[in-house]
Amino acid sequence: MIFAVILITGVAGAGIYVMKLRSDNAILKANQIKLETAVAEQTKVLEQQKEDFTAILESNKKLNVLINTFKKDLQDLDKRFTKKNRDIGKLAIERTESIERIINGGSKNAARCIELASGAEHTEAELKATLKSEINPECPSLANPNYVHYE
Amino acid sequence: MKMSHYGTYWVSFFKGVILVLLILALTGCSIGGEKKIKLFQIEQPREKLDYPMPTALQLEELKWIIITSENADEVFAKLEAAGIDPVLFGITDKDFQVLARNFAQIRQKLQETNNLLEEYKKYYEDTGNSQ
């Protein structure tokens, strides 16, 4: 009788233990799936972050190039007024008509630069310009993207 | 009183029917339990702010007149002949340079702002960083 009780208890205990093991196994499997999903999501987030950083760096680089171009354009403008101790006032007295023509041409070019800066489309001539005589000297980097500066 | 076998059968039958009706009345025909409510989330992407880019400027042409002590009379005479009021708003050669620089700076700021706008648009729309 005692032997039978021990046997039944043993079998029941073993059964419960196996059930527990199966339950643990199921929990561990679920945990594993969750971990794998989390790792995949983290990898995706990291990849997205990497892409974002690259995009930000590229954008910063572009804007820095643009700001440097601005500085150069302003220096070029100053140079045009003061090159070789040029005095635009004296020149205007000596050669009034030609300076008037130059000033009006420059004003027209400057107005075109503002139009382009506000988002106007380039004309075919502006895009094709590669020579100094063809470009808009007020803002060549903006008006003539195919022009390469030369002395 | 002893019931017949047939009578016992019917009494049992009615008891069963009453029990079933009682259970139905108590459970309100909801045997099998309430259906579980399922909560789920759908990610709704943010609406795009689809403003068109600002319209490009179209500037009108203006004419500069250079007036010196020598050509002043001639210039005013020409203006009068053309039916234009003989008056000019003048700036010195130095101020002309300042004006040119100021316009260049305004243009650059415009270009910079437009560029920034494009970069923002590209970043938030092309890469899907819409949050």
Side-chain angles (χ1 to χ4, degrees):
Chain A
M1 177 70 180
I2 293 164
F3 183 71
V5 169
I6 291 168
L7 191 71
I8 290 165
T9 314
V11 169
I16 290 166
Y17 183 64
V18 168
M19 297 263 283
K20 183 191 171 295
L21 281 180
R22 288 173 75 181
S23 147
D24 284 354
N25 198 24
I27 291 166
L28 285 171
K29 270 185 186 169
N31 284 351
Q32 181 65 21
I33 290 166
K34 274 183 191 168
L35 282 171
E36 277 170 12
T37 315
V39 168
E41 274 173 12
Q42 286 297 315
T43 314
K44 211 175 153 189
V45 168
L46 283 173
E47 274 171 16
Q48 182 64 50
Q49 271 186 330
K50 207 175 160 188
E51 274 177 30
D52 290 350
F53 284 136
T54 316
I56 290 168
L57 278 176
E58 209 176 296
S59 181
N60 273 338
K61 210 171 146 187
K62 259 194 204 172
L63 288 173
N64 280 335
V65 169
L66 188 72
I67 285 162
N68 284 334
T69 316
F70 290 163
K71 279 181 192 162
K72 201 185 163 297
D73 278 357
L74 278 182
Q75 282 168 357
D76 285 350
L77 181 66
D78 282 340
K79 239 192 246 175
R80 252 177 288 148
F81 284 119
T82 54
K83 199 176 174 183
K84 292 176 190 168
N85 288 328
R86 184 184 280 166
D87 184 336
I88 192 121
K90 272 184 190 162
L91 281 172
I93 293 168
E94 287 161 15
R95 290 183 277 159
T96 310
E97 278 181 16
S98 53
I99 295 296
E100 196 173 274
R101 204 171 47 245
I102 290 167
I103 295 287
N104 278 310
S107 170
K108 200 175 168 185
N109 285 337
R112 179 63 188 152
C113 289
I114 290 178
E115 286 179 357
L116 287 169
S118 73
E121 294 286 326
H122 287 87
T123 62
E124 212 170 309
E126 283 167 344
L127 291 172
K128 278 183 182 170
T130 51
L131 299 172
K132 255 185 188 174
S133 55
E134 297 169 337
I135 61 163
N136 180 342
E138 302 302 321
C139 56
S141 55
L142 172 66
N144 312 105
N146 293 319
Y147 169 69
V148 183
H149 182 75
Y150 61 91
E151 286 304 321
Chain B
M1 196 175 78
K2 205 175 181 183
M3 279 179 86
S4 67
H5 180 71
Y6 189 69
T8 313
Y9 173 78
W10 273 109
V11 168
S12 301
F13 175 74
F14 282 120
K15 275 182 182 171
V17 169
I18 288 164
L19 193 69
V20 167
L21 287 173
L22 191 70
I23 290 167
L24 279 175
L26 286 171
T27 58
C29 298
S30 64
I31 297 169
E34 285 290 339
K35 292 267 187 295
K36 277 189 179 173
I37 295 170
K38 283 181 184 171
L39 291 175
F40 52 92
Q41 291 179 332
I42 298 172
E43 201 173 330
Q44 182 70 21
R46 201 174 178 188
E47 288 298 322
K48 282 186 178 175
L49 187 66
D50 231 351
Y51 285 134
M53 286 296 276
T55 327
L57 290 167
Q58 272 191 313
L59 301 179
E60 288 174 54
E61 203 175 323
L62 59 86
K63 190 177 181 294
W64 286 92
I65 297 169
I66 296 181
I67 180 164
T68 63
S69 51
E70 285 169 18
N71 74 350
D73 293 337
E74 188 191 338
V75 168
F76 285 117
K78 271 186 188 171
L79 287 177
E80 278 180 330
I84 301 167
D85 293 335
V87 59
L88 293 169
F89 298 88
I91 50 173
T92 63
D93 57 338
K94 299 287 170 226
D95 283 344
F96 178 77
Q97 289 176 39
V98 172
L99 186 71
R101 273 187 73 89
N102 285 351
F103 264 97
Q105 287 187 65
I106 291 169
R107 184 245 304 159
Q108 289 180 350
K109 192 49 74 184
L110 193 62
Q111 195 181 345
E112 192 184 340
T113 314
N114 261 5
N115 243 281
L116 271 176
L117 191 65
E118 271 174 19
E119 289 298 319
Y120 266 106
K121 207 173 157 131
K122 210 166 91 181
Y123 182 76
Y124 284 106
E125 290 180 5
D126 291 0
T127 58
N129 291 319
S130 51
Q131 295 304 309

